[in-house]
Amino acid sequence: MKKAAVILLHLGYWICYLFLLFVLSVLLHNQFIFRGFSLFIFLSAFAMLPAMLGFYSFYIILFTKFLKRKKIIMLVLAAIVIAIACGCIGWLLLNLLWKHMEPGHKVPIDQGGYTEVLAMVIIISVNALLSGIIGLVMRGFINWYADIKLKEILNRKNYEMELALVKSQINPHFLFNTIHNIDVLIEKDSIKASAYLNKLSEMLRFMLYEIKTEKIALAKELSYIEKYIDLQKIRTANLNYINYSVDGNANDRVIASMLFIPFIENAIKHTDNKKLENAINIKITVEKDTIYFTCENKYSNTSSIQNEYNGLGNELIQKRLGLLYPGRHSLTIANANNIYSVKLIIKDHED
């Protein structure tokens, strides 16, 4: 949702709130709890200030820290504390304004004792709590609307990404080089050539069928990466050109499809010297609740490294990760000393 629309939504709510307060102040003018109050005191202390404190405390703090992370118990406790704090602040301001503007009247604690003070604090607290709940609902609606728009963009970009991935991996140039290398290898080592041909076939099958689902088995993703790297290696006599390792047990783990391969493709694309030892280092570590992915590639001073992965910029990669793993991922990209590095951490559960 655009910023202007959010501001208008807030303004509309507070205009309606002020109108309701005005109506209530007129209707309840002769009630005991408002006796001796001017309209300014009632609006500023008893209703407006606590409502705004409650609304924006819930809207800014509680939504982000608790509701978004589904910490319901902490949300309820924090909501009660904030509502009571707003009630106390409202009552203190009410007394200060009353003493200043209505010197002929007794303050509530002198007029009705602690019972009336408690009643006032409770009423102001309830008002702040209700305003806070509305703030949560409004923030939830804004986030929900933003997620819908973002998902529409990502659905379109995901489709474009799939096409880009297919084009980059099954384009005629890639197939020609791979098949040509396998053909040359047939005369030297037919068994090895057959193994590479099978890997190419399995890669094509994976891209055509497996990536259609939102998540796939991590073992399949790792197997695809291994085959892709093996096919890249046959293009050079340097077997140590790419160093790829996996630590940990990937069984019974799932992950979003094609999550790591864009970074690997980008590294291969921009590593121009294939004679270097360990020009590309890829490591994936699978732990109980966390998956660590690291990809580093060396490049020359004349090479231009692009922060783009099959047409997907860093911003879109971050948004995709934010939707797939909200609060459960960390992506760090660095470029220094002719080494381009990507570190991605995926967690099963939010901290």
Side-chain angles (χ1 to χ4, degrees):
M1 185 176 291
K2 294 182 178 180
K3 192 173 182 179
V6 175
I7 293 174
L8 288 175
L9 190 62
H10 282 250
L11 286 176
Y13 170 73
W14 289 116
I15 289 172
C16 293
Y17 185 83
L18 284 171
F19 178 75
L20 179 61
L21 289 182
F22 176 78
V23 173
L24 288 175
S25 65
V26 172
L27 294 176
L28 302 175
H29 178 70
N30 295 322
Q31 298 297 319
F32 74 95
I33 199 168
F34 302 109
R35 190 175 299 138
F37 284 79
S38 67
L39 181 60
F40 171 77
I41 296 177
F42 169 69
L43 291 178
S44 62
F46 187 80
M48 193 64 194
L49 180 62
M52 293 188 72
L53 287 174
F55 182 95
Y56 287 106
S57 295
F58 282 52
Y59 183 93
I60 298 172
I61 300 174
L62 298 193
F63 181 87
T64 304
K65 288 189 173 295
F66 302 120
L67 185 58
K68 194 173 182 179
R69 299 179 179 181
K70 298 180 180 179
K71 297 180 179 180
I72 305 302
I73 296 177
M74 293 298 297
L75 172 67
V76 173
L77 293 176
I80 294 173
V81 171
I82 289 177
I84 294 174
C86 290
C88 295
I89 292 172
W91 176 80
L92 290 173
L93 182 60
L94 194 64
N95 279 269
L96 290 174
L97 292 173
W98 196 347
K99 288 178 181 179
H100 179 70
M101 300 185 67
E102 304 289 344
H105 292 273
K106 295 180 179 180
V107 296
I109 195 169
D110 295 331
Q111 189 176 14
Y114 289 101
T115 302
E116 185 169 334
V117 171
L118 181 61
M120 281 189 173
V121 171
I122 291 175
I123 293 174
I124 298 174
S125 298
V126 170
N127 178 45
L129 180 63
L130 293 175
S131 297
I133 292 173
I134 294 173
L136 283 180
V137 172
M138 185 180 294
R139 181 67 183 274
F141 169 76
I142 292 171
N143 276 40
W144 170 77
Y145 184 84
D147 285 346
I148 288 179
K149 288 296 181 181
L150 183 58
K151 285 178 180 178
E152 288 178 358
I153 295 173
L154 284 175
N155 284 336
R156 184 173 65 253
K157 290 295 182 180
N158 280 339
Y159 175 72
E160 294 173 0
M161 180 185 69
E162 288 181 7
L163 290 180
L165 287 170
V166 171
K167 288 178 181 178
S168 66
Q169 296 172 31
I170 321 180
N171 61 64
H173 182 69
F174 173 82
L175 285 177
F176 174 80
N177 284 335
T178 304
I179 294 174
H180 174 72
N181 290 329
I182 293 175
D183 182 51
V184 172
L185 191 61
I186 289 175
E187 298 180 1
K188 299 179 180 179
D189 191 337
S190 60
I191 296 177
K192 185 179 290 186
S194 176
Y196 278 122
L197 191 61
N198 285 332
K199 288 181 180 182
L200 178 60
S201 175
E202 291 170 2
M203 261 187 63
L204 296 176
R205 187 181 299 110
F206 176 88
M207 288 183 292
L208 289 173
Y209 301 109
E210 297 292 343
I211 64 173
K212 299 299 181 182
T213 58
E214 182 178 344
K215 290 190 176 182
I216 62 172
L218 177 59
K220 290 184 178 180
E221 180 85 355
L222 298 181
S223 176
Y224 170 81
I225 292 174
E226 183 178 359
K227 293 181 178 69
Y228 177 78
I229 292 174
D230 286 343
L231 287 177
Q232 291 290 346
K233 282 184 176 181
I234 64 174
R235 299 170 62 185
T236 175
N238 182 11
L239 297 179
N240 296 322
Y241 162 55
I242 302 175
N243 180 25
Y244 172 65
S245 63
V246 177
D247 293 335
N249 186 5
N251 295 333
D252 301 324
R253 301 288 290 275
V254 295
I255 197 169
S257 61
M258 310 301 284
L259 193 63
F260 302 137
I261 197 66
F263 301 112
I264 298 173
E265 288 182 332
N266 194 66
I268 294 173
K269 178 180 178 182
H270 294 289
T271 302
D272 45 9
N273 190 351
K274 295 179 173 59
K275 296 181 180 180
L276 290 175
E277 293 290 316
N278 298 324
I280 301 173
N281 290 290
I282 303 163
K283 184 175 182 179
I284 299 174
T285 303
V286 183
E287 295 185 355
K288 182 179 180 181
D289 299 317
T290 310
I291 300 172
Y292 298 89
F293 169 82
T294 302
C295 181
E296 296 181 348
N297 67 282
K298 301 175 183 178
Y299 63 94
S300 65
N301 291 324
T302 58
S303 178
S304 175
I305 289 290
Q306 301 292 326
N307 298 330
E308 192 163 308
Y309 311 92
N310 293 308
L312 298 176
N314 284 340
E315 183 179 355
L316 189 57
I317 288 285
Q318 286 279 21
K319 288 181 178 179
R320 185 176 183 235
L321 287 169
L323 277 181
L324 295 172
Y325 299 97
R328 297 187 289 121
H329 78 280
S330 172
L331 176 62
T332 304
I333 298 175
N335 185 5
N337 300 322
N338 291 351
I339 296 178
Y340 191 83
S341 64
V342 176
K343 296 181 180 180
L344 176 60
I345 300 174
I346 301 294
K347 299 180 180 179
D348 292 343
H349 307 286
E350 190 174 357
D351 290 337

PDB file of all heavy atoms in Angstrom, residues 138-162:
ATOM      1  N   MET A 138      -5.594  -2.421  11.886  1.00  0.00           N
ATOM      2  CA  MET A 138      -5.220  -1.571  10.756  1.00  0.00           C
ATOM      3  C   MET A 138      -3.847  -1.962  10.216  1.00  0.00           C
ATOM      4  O   MET A 138      -3.649  -2.052   9.008  1.00  0.00           O
ATOM      5  CB  MET A 138      -5.221  -0.098  11.173  1.00  0.00           C
ATOM      6  CG  MET A 138      -4.961   0.856  10.013  1.00  0.00           C
ATOM      7  SD  MET A 138      -4.973   2.605  10.498  1.00  0.00           S
ATOM      8  CE  MET A 138      -6.680   2.810  10.984  1.00  0.00           C
ATOM      9  N   ARG A 139      -2.892  -2.199  11.128  1.00  0.00           N
ATOM     10  CA  ARG A 139      -1.552  -2.593  10.687  1.00  0.00           C
ATOM     11  C   ARG A 139      -1.605  -3.947   9.990  1.00  0.00           C
ATOM     12  O   ARG A 139      -0.921  -4.168   8.978  1.00  0.00           O
ATOM     13  CB  ARG A 139      -0.613  -2.659  11.894  1.00  0.00           C
ATOM     14  CG  ARG A 139       0.816  -3.044  11.550  1.00  0.00           C
ATOM     15  CD  ARG A 139       1.518  -1.970  10.736  1.00  0.00           C
ATOM     16  NE  ARG A 139       2.863  -2.383  10.356  1.00  0.00           N
ATOM     17  CZ  ARG A 139       3.944  -2.221  11.118  1.00  0.00           C
ATOM     18  NH1 ARG A 139       3.833  -1.627  12.309  1.00  0.00           N
ATOM     19  NH2 ARG A 139       5.115  -2.612  10.700  1.00  0.00           N
ATOM     20  N   GLY A 140      -2.409  -4.858  10.517  1.00  0.00           N
ATOM     21  CA  GLY A 140      -2.556  -6.158   9.882  1.00  0.00           C
ATOM     22  C   GLY A 140      -3.153  -6.045   8.487  1.00  0.00           C
ATOM     23  O   GLY A 140      -2.717  -6.729   7.558  1.00  0.00           O
ATOM     24  N   PHE A 141      -4.144  -5.155   8.347  1.00  0.00           N
ATOM     25  CA  PHE A 141      -4.769  -4.950   7.037  1.00  0.00           C
ATOM     26  C   PHE A 141      -3.763  -4.371   6.041  1.00  0.00           C
ATOM     27  O   PHE A 141      -3.681  -4.817   4.899  1.00  0.00           O
ATOM     28  CB  PHE A 141      -5.966  -4.013   7.160  1.00  0.00           C
ATOM     29  CG  PHE A 141      -6.511  -3.543   5.840  1.00  0.00           C
ATOM     30  CD1 PHE A 141      -7.279  -4.383   5.050  1.00  0.00           C
ATOM     31  CD2 PHE A 141      -6.228  -2.257   5.374  1.00  0.00           C
ATOM     32  CE1 PHE A 141      -7.764  -3.952   3.816  1.00  0.00           C
ATOM     33  CE2 PHE A 141      -6.713  -1.823   4.155  1.00  0.00           C
ATOM     34  CZ  PHE A 141      -7.483  -2.671   3.367  1.00  0.00           C
ATOM     35  N   ILE A 142      -2.973  -3.393   6.492  1.00  0.00           N
ATOM     36  CA  ILE A 142      -1.976  -2.772   5.618  1.00  0.00           C
ATOM     37  C   ILE A 142      -0.935  -3.805   5.188  1.00  0.00           C
ATOM     38  O   ILE A 142      -0.563  -3.876   4.006  1.00  0.00           O
ATOM     39  CB  ILE A 142      -1.305  -1.576   6.330  1.00  0.00           C
ATOM     40  CG1 ILE A 142      -2.326  -0.444   6.515  1.00  0.00           C
ATOM     41  CG2 ILE A 142      -0.097  -1.069   5.541  1.00  0.00           C
ATOM     42  CD1 ILE A 142      -1.835   0.694   7.387  1.00  0.00           C
ATOM     43  N   ASN A 143      -0.467  -4.610   6.134  1.00  0.00           N
ATOM     44  CA  ASN A 143       0.526  -5.650   5.801  1.00  0.00           C
ATOM     45  C   ASN A 143      -0.063  -6.707   4.886  1.00  0.00           C
ATOM     46  O   ASN A 143       0.600  -7.196   3.977  1.00  0.00           O
ATOM     47  CB  ASN A 143       1.053  -6.301   7.088  1.00  0.00           C
ATOM     48  CG  ASN A 143       2.172  -5.496   7.710  1.00  0.00           C
ATOM     49  OD1 ASN A 143       2.112  -4.265   7.726  1.00  0.00           O
ATOM     50  ND2 ASN A 143       3.187  -6.152   8.229  1.00  0.00           N
ATOM     51  N   TRP A 144      -1.327  -7.080   5.162  1.00  0.00           N
ATOM     52  CA  TRP A 144      -2.000  -8.080   4.327  1.00  0.00           C
ATOM     53  C   TRP A 144      -2.140  -7.577   2.894  1.00  0.00           C
ATOM     54  O   TRP A 144      -1.861  -8.305   1.930  1.00  0.00           O
ATOM     55  CB  TRP A 144      -3.382  -8.385   4.913  1.00  0.00           C
ATOM     56  CG  TRP A 144      -4.267  -9.207   4.028  1.00  0.00           C
ATOM     57  CD1 TRP A 144      -4.192 -10.542   3.803  1.00  0.00           C
ATOM     58  CD2 TRP A 144      -5.364  -8.724   3.229  1.00  0.00           C
ATOM     59  NE1 TRP A 144      -5.186 -10.938   2.932  1.00  0.00           N
ATOM     60  CE2 TRP A 144      -5.913  -9.852   2.564  1.00  0.00           C
ATOM     61  CE3 TRP A 144      -5.937  -7.478   3.041  1.00  0.00           C
ATOM     62  CZ2 TRP A 144      -6.996  -9.735   1.706  1.00  0.00           C
ATOM     63  CZ3 TRP A 144      -7.019  -7.360   2.180  1.00  0.00           C
ATOM     64  CH2 TRP A 144      -7.541  -8.482   1.530  1.00  0.00           C
ATOM     65  N   TYR A 145      -2.529  -6.324   2.747  1.00  0.00           N
ATOM     66  CA  TYR A 145      -2.686  -5.743   1.412  1.00  0.00           C
ATOM     67  C   TYR A 145      -1.334  -5.663   0.705  1.00  0.00           C
ATOM     68  O   TYR A 145      -1.223  -5.978  -0.483  1.00  0.00           O
ATOM     69  CB  TYR A 145      -3.302  -4.346   1.525  1.00  0.00           C
ATOM     70  CG  TYR A 145      -3.597  -3.694   0.196  1.00  0.00           C
ATOM     71  CD1 TYR A 145      -4.773  -3.975  -0.489  1.00  0.00           C
ATOM     72  CD2 TYR A 145      -2.697  -2.796  -0.383  1.00  0.00           C
ATOM     73  CE1 TYR A 145      -5.047  -3.388  -1.711  1.00  0.00           C
ATOM     74  CE2 TYR A 145      -2.959  -2.207  -1.598  1.00  0.00           C
ATOM     75  CZ  TYR A 145      -4.135  -2.500  -2.262  1.00  0.00           C
ATOM     76  OH  TYR A 145      -4.400  -1.913  -3.479  1.00  0.00           O
ATOM     77  N   ALA A 146      -0.299  -5.254   1.465  1.00  0.00           N
ATOM     78  CA  ALA A 146       1.049  -5.169   0.889  1.00  0.00           C
ATOM     79  C   ALA A 146       1.546  -6.549   0.460  1.00  0.00           C
ATOM     80  O   ALA A 146       2.190  -6.683  -0.586  1.00  0.00           O
ATOM     81  CB  ALA A 146       2.006  -4.543   1.899  1.00  0.00           C
ATOM     82  N   ASP A 147       1.244  -7.582   1.272  1.00  0.00           N
ATOM     83  CA  ASP A 147       1.666  -8.944   0.927  1.00  0.00           C
ATOM     84  C   ASP A 147       0.981  -9.430  -0.345  1.00  0.00           C
ATOM     85  O   ASP A 147       1.597 -10.120  -1.167  1.00  0.00           O
ATOM     86  CB  ASP A 147       1.363  -9.901   2.078  1.00  0.00           C
ATOM     87  CG  ASP A 147       2.346  -9.749   3.230  1.00  0.00           C
ATOM     88  OD1 ASP A 147       3.393  -9.109   3.015  1.00  0.00           O
ATOM     89  OD2 ASP A 147       2.050 -10.237   4.326  1.00  0.00           O
ATOM     90  N   ILE A 148      -0.306  -9.076  -0.490  1.00  0.00           N
ATOM     91  CA  ILE A 148      -1.037  -9.477  -1.700  1.00  0.00           C
ATOM     92  C   ILE A 148      -0.394  -8.863  -2.936  1.00  0.00           C
ATOM     93  O   ILE A 148      -0.155  -9.537  -3.938  1.00  0.00           O
ATOM     94  CB  ILE A 148      -2.517  -9.064  -1.597  1.00  0.00           C
ATOM     95  CG1 ILE A 148      -3.248  -9.957  -0.593  1.00  0.00           C
ATOM     96  CG2 ILE A 148      -3.205  -9.157  -2.959  1.00  0.00           C
ATOM     97  CD1 ILE A 148      -4.706  -9.603  -0.411  1.00  0.00           C
ATOM     98  N   LYS A 149      -0.095  -7.562  -2.842  1.00  0.00           N
ATOM     99  CA  LYS A 149       0.538  -6.889  -3.975  1.00  0.00           C
ATOM    100  C   LYS A 149       1.917  -7.470  -4.257  1.00  0.00           C
ATOM    101  O   LYS A 149       2.291  -7.668  -5.421  1.00  0.00           O
ATOM    102  CB  LYS A 149       0.646  -5.386  -3.680  1.00  0.00           C
ATOM    103  CG  LYS A 149      -0.679  -4.646  -3.720  1.00  0.00           C
ATOM    104  CD  LYS A 149      -1.281  -4.692  -5.116  1.00  0.00           C
ATOM    105  CE  LYS A 149      -2.590  -3.933  -5.194  1.00  0.00           C
ATOM    106  NZ  LYS A 149      -3.200  -4.003  -6.551  1.00  0.00           N
ATOM    107  N   LEU A 150       2.666  -7.734  -3.182  1.00  0.00           N
ATOM    108  CA  LEU A 150       4.002  -8.282  -3.348  1.00  0.00           C
ATOM    109  C   LEU A 150       3.944  -9.685  -3.945  1.00  0.00           C
ATOM    110  O   LEU A 150       4.767 -10.046  -4.795  1.00  0.00           O
ATOM    111  CB  LEU A 150       4.735  -8.308  -2.005  1.00  0.00           C
ATOM    112  CG  LEU A 150       6.181  -8.802  -2.022  1.00  0.00           C
ATOM    113  CD1 LEU A 150       7.029  -7.949  -2.962  1.00  0.00           C
ATOM    114  CD2 LEU A 150       6.762  -8.780  -0.618  1.00  0.00           C
ATOM    115  N   LYS A 151       2.964 -10.488  -3.507  1.00  0.00           N
ATOM    116  CA  LYS A 151       2.828 -11.834  -4.045  1.00  0.00           C
ATOM    117  C   LYS A 151       2.453 -11.802  -5.526  1.00  0.00           C
ATOM    118  O   LYS A 151       2.894 -12.652  -6.300  1.00  0.00           O
ATOM    119  CB  LYS A 151       1.787 -12.614  -3.247  1.00  0.00           C
ATOM    120  CG  LYS A 151       2.285 -13.077  -1.888  1.00  0.00           C
ATOM    121  CD  LYS A 151       1.211 -13.813  -1.110  1.00  0.00           C
ATOM    122  CE  LYS A 151       1.742 -14.266   0.247  1.00  0.00           C
ATOM    123  NZ  LYS A 151       0.713 -14.949   1.059  1.00  0.00           N
ATOM    124  N   GLU A 152       1.631 -10.808  -5.909  1.00  0.00           N
ATOM    125  CA  GLU A 152       1.292 -10.676  -7.323  1.00  0.00           C
ATOM    126  C   GLU A 152       2.546 -10.384  -8.144  1.00  0.00           C
ATOM    127  O   GLU A 152       2.753 -10.958  -9.205  1.00  0.00           O
ATOM    128  CB  GLU A 152       0.266  -9.551  -7.508  1.00  0.00           C
ATOM    129  CG  GLU A 152      -1.119  -9.889  -6.997  1.00  0.00           C
ATOM    130  CD  GLU A 152      -2.092  -8.730  -7.165  1.00  0.00           C
ATOM    131  OE1 GLU A 152      -1.651  -7.656  -7.648  1.00  0.00           O
ATOM    132  OE2 GLU A 152      -3.268  -8.887  -6.823  1.00  0.00           O
ATOM    133  N   ILE A 153       3.384  -9.474  -7.617  1.00  0.00           N
ATOM    134  CA  ILE A 153       4.631  -9.140  -8.312  1.00  0.00           C
ATOM    135  C   ILE A 153       5.548 -10.355  -8.371  1.00  0.00           C
ATOM    136  O   ILE A 153       6.128 -10.676  -9.408  1.00  0.00           O
ATOM    137  CB  ILE A 153       5.336  -7.965  -7.612  1.00  0.00           C
ATOM    138  CG1 ILE A 153       4.481  -6.694  -7.728  1.00  0.00           C
ATOM    139  CG2 ILE A 153       6.716  -7.726  -8.217  1.00  0.00           C
ATOM    140  CD1 ILE A 153       5.012  -5.532  -6.913  1.00  0.00           C
ATOM    141  N   LEU A 154       5.649 -11.058  -7.213  1.00  0.00           N
ATOM    142  CA  LEU A 154       6.554 -12.202  -7.149  1.00  0.00           C
ATOM    143  C   LEU A 154       6.070 -13.367  -8.004  1.00  0.00           C
ATOM    144  O   LEU A 154       6.874 -14.100  -8.571  1.00  0.00           O
ATOM    145  CB  LEU A 154       6.736 -12.650  -5.698  1.00  0.00           C
ATOM    146  CG  LEU A 154       7.653 -11.756  -4.859  1.00  0.00           C
ATOM    147  CD1 LEU A 154       7.672 -12.220  -3.420  1.00  0.00           C
ATOM    148  CD2 LEU A 154       9.062 -11.765  -5.413  1.00  0.00           C
ATOM    149  N   ASN A 155       4.749 -13.546  -8.076  1.00  0.00           N
ATOM    150  CA  ASN A 155       4.225 -14.606  -8.934  1.00  0.00           C
ATOM    151  C   ASN A 155       4.620 -14.352 -10.383  1.00  0.00           C
ATOM    152  O   ASN A 155       4.999 -15.274 -11.115  1.00  0.00           O
ATOM    153  CB  ASN A 155       2.707 -14.688  -8.810  1.00  0.00           C
ATOM    154  CG  ASN A 155       2.266 -15.359  -7.524  1.00  0.00           C
ATOM    155  OD1 ASN A 155       3.022 -16.138  -6.943  1.00  0.00           O
ATOM    156  ND2 ASN A 155       1.072 -15.056  -7.067  1.00  0.00           N
ATOM    157  N   ARG A 156       4.505 -13.078 -10.779  1.00  0.00           N
ATOM    158  CA  ARG A 156       4.900 -12.728 -12.141  1.00  0.00           C
ATOM    159  C   ARG A 156       6.411 -12.882 -12.315  1.00  0.00           C
ATOM    160  O   ARG A 156       6.890 -13.417 -13.317  1.00  0.00           O
ATOM    161  CB  ARG A 156       4.479 -11.291 -12.448  1.00  0.00           C
ATOM    162  CG  ARG A 156       4.768 -10.888 -13.896  1.00  0.00           C
ATOM    163  CD  ARG A 156       4.194  -9.523 -14.224  1.00  0.00           C
ATOM    164  NE  ARG A 156       4.818  -8.465 -13.464  1.00  0.00           N
ATOM    165  CZ  ARG A 156       4.262  -7.804 -12.469  1.00  0.00           C
ATOM    166  NH1 ARG A 156       3.039  -8.125 -12.091  1.00  0.00           N
ATOM    167  NH2 ARG A 156       4.893  -6.842 -11.832  1.00  0.00           N
ATOM    168  N   LYS A 157       7.167 -12.413 -11.304  1.00  0.00           N
ATOM    169  CA  LYS A 157       8.625 -12.513 -11.380  1.00  0.00           C
ATOM    170  C   LYS A 157       9.094 -13.960 -11.282  1.00  0.00           C
ATOM    171  O   LYS A 157      10.088 -14.342 -11.909  1.00  0.00           O
ATOM    172  CB  LYS A 157       9.258 -11.681 -10.259  1.00  0.00           C
ATOM    173  CG  LYS A 157       9.108 -10.181 -10.441  1.00  0.00           C
ATOM    174  CD  LYS A 157       9.861  -9.683 -11.661  1.00  0.00           C
ATOM    175  CE  LYS A 157       9.751  -8.183 -11.808  1.00  0.00           C
ATOM    176  NZ  LYS A 157      10.491  -7.688 -12.995  1.00  0.00           N
ATOM    177  N   ASN A 158       8.365 -14.772 -10.477  1.00  0.00           N
ATOM    178  CA  ASN A 158       8.734 -16.190 -10.379  1.00  0.00           C
ATOM    179  C   ASN A 158       8.578 -16.883 -11.728  1.00  0.00           C
ATOM    180  O   ASN A 158       9.382 -17.740 -12.101  1.00  0.00           O
ATOM    181  CB  ASN A 158       7.880 -16.895  -9.327  1.00  0.00           C
ATOM    182  CG  ASN A 158       8.369 -16.637  -7.922  1.00  0.00           C
ATOM    183  OD1 ASN A 158       9.519 -16.275  -7.725  1.00  0.00           O
ATOM    184  ND2 ASN A 158       7.511 -16.805  -6.942  1.00  0.00           N
ATOM    185  N   TYR A 159       7.493 -16.501 -12.433  1.00  0.00           N
ATOM    186  CA  TYR A 159       7.298 -17.071 -13.760  1.00  0.00           C
ATOM    187  C   TYR A 159       8.427 -16.639 -14.693  1.00  0.00           C
ATOM    188  O   TYR A 159       8.984 -17.446 -15.445  1.00  0.00           O
ATOM    189  CB  TYR A 159       5.946 -16.625 -14.323  1.00  0.00           C
ATOM    190  CG  TYR A 159       5.703 -17.066 -15.748  1.00  0.00           C
ATOM    191  CD1 TYR A 159       5.450 -18.404 -16.042  1.00  0.00           C
ATOM    192  CD2 TYR A 159       5.730 -16.148 -16.788  1.00  0.00           C
ATOM    193  CE1 TYR A 159       5.231 -18.812 -17.347  1.00  0.00           C
ATOM    194  CE2 TYR A 159       5.517 -16.542 -18.096  1.00  0.00           C
ATOM    195  CZ  TYR A 159       5.263 -17.869 -18.359  1.00  0.00           C
ATOM    196  OH  TYR A 159       5.052 -18.274 -19.655  1.00  0.00           O
ATOM    197  N   GLU A 160       8.774 -15.335 -14.609  1.00  0.00           N
ATOM    198  CA  GLU A 160       9.886 -14.836 -15.410  1.00  0.00           C
ATOM    199  C   GLU A 160      11.195 -15.499 -14.997  1.00  0.00           C
ATOM    200  O   GLU A 160      12.053 -15.757 -15.833  1.00  0.00           O
ATOM    201  CB  GLU A 160       9.991 -13.317 -15.259  1.00  0.00           C
ATOM    202  CG  GLU A 160       8.795 -12.570 -15.838  1.00  0.00           C
ATOM    203  CD  GLU A 160       8.846 -11.088 -15.522  1.00  0.00           C
ATOM    204  OE1 GLU A 160       9.802 -10.650 -14.853  1.00  0.00           O
ATOM    205  OE2 GLU A 160       7.927 -10.360 -15.948  1.00  0.00           O
ATOM    206  N   MET A 161      11.329 -15.755 -13.673  1.00  0.00           N
ATOM    207  CA  MET A 161      12.540 -16.397 -13.177  1.00  0.00           C
ATOM    208  C   MET A 161      12.658 -17.810 -13.724  1.00  0.00           C
ATOM    209  O   MET A 161      13.740 -18.247 -14.121  1.00  0.00           O
ATOM    210  CB  MET A 161      12.534 -16.432 -11.649  1.00  0.00           C
ATOM    211  CG  MET A 161      13.772 -17.083 -11.042  1.00  0.00           C
ATOM    212  SD  MET A 161      13.672 -17.254  -9.262  1.00  0.00           S
ATOM    213  CE  MET A 161      12.392 -18.501  -9.120  1.00  0.00           C
ATOM    214  N   GLU A 162      11.526 -18.537 -13.737  1.00  0.00           N
ATOM    215  CA  GLU A 162      11.557 -19.900 -14.265  1.00  0.00           C
ATOM    216  C   GLU A 162      11.983 -19.887 -15.735  1.00  0.00           C
ATOM    217  O   GLU A 162      12.797 -20.710 -16.168  1.00  0.00           O
ATOM    218  CB  GLU A 162      10.186 -20.551 -14.115  1.00  0.00           C
ATOM    219  CG  GLU A 162       9.827 -20.912 -12.678  1.00  0.00           C
ATOM    220  CD  GLU A 162       8.473 -21.571 -12.580  1.00  0.00           C
ATOM    221  OE1 GLU A 162       7.887 -21.866 -13.645  1.00  0.00           O
ATOM    222  OE2 GLU A 162       7.992 -21.784 -11.468  1.00  0.00           O
TER     223      GLU A 162
END
